Amino acid sequence: MPVFQDWNQKVKKTFNATSNEVVLTVTEAGNALGISKDQMKVYVEKNQLTKVPIMRSVHRYLLLKSEIDEILSKTKK
C-alpha cells in the first residue's frame, strides 16, 4: 500500500530539488515560530513575507526558509 504524502510536502520536495532557495510550508514555518497555520497566514500578510506560489492553486504557497530563519534570529536576540 502506498504511503500517503501531503501534497504541500510533495511540492516542497520538488521545489527544493530544483531551486537554490530552500522553502518551507506554511505549517512548518508556523511551527518554527510557535504559532498555528492560520496565525502564520495572517503573519505572512502582515509582514509581507515572500510567497512562493504553487501553480495549481491560488491559495497555496511556500515560504522562503531564509526569511523564517532571519525572523527567528531576531526574536532570539
Side-chain angles (χ1 to χ4, degrees):
M1 189 165 153
V3 176
F4 172 77
Q5 184 177 15
D6 180 77
W7 194 79
N8 289 335
Q9 289 294 331
K10 190 180 231 180
V11 172
K12 174 190 156 193
K13 182 178 178 182
T14 302
F15 185 90
N16 283 339
T18 60
S19 173
N20 294 335
E21 286 286 345
V22 177
V23 293
L24 297 173
T25 64
V26 174
T27 302
E28 290 173 329
N31 289 342
L33 296 175
I35 58 178
S36 72
K37 178 181 177 181
D38 292 333
Q39 290 171 321
M40 187 64 204
K41 287 181 177 183
V42 171
Y43 187 89
V44 167
E45 294 301 322
K46 181 180 176 186
N47 294 288
Q48 299 178 343
L49 297 182
T50 305
K51 295 181 194 177
V52 179
I54 297 174
M55 282 182 42
R56 290 177 30 188
S57 177
V58 176
H59 303 290
R60 291 184 185 205
Y61 51 87
L62 300 169
L63 300 169
L64 297 177
K65 184 178 184 302
S66 59
E67 288 185 346
I68 302 304
D69 290 343
E70 185 179 326
I71 293 165
L72 286 170
S73 69
K74 288 179 182 177
T75 59
K76 290 183 180 180
K77 288 184 179 180

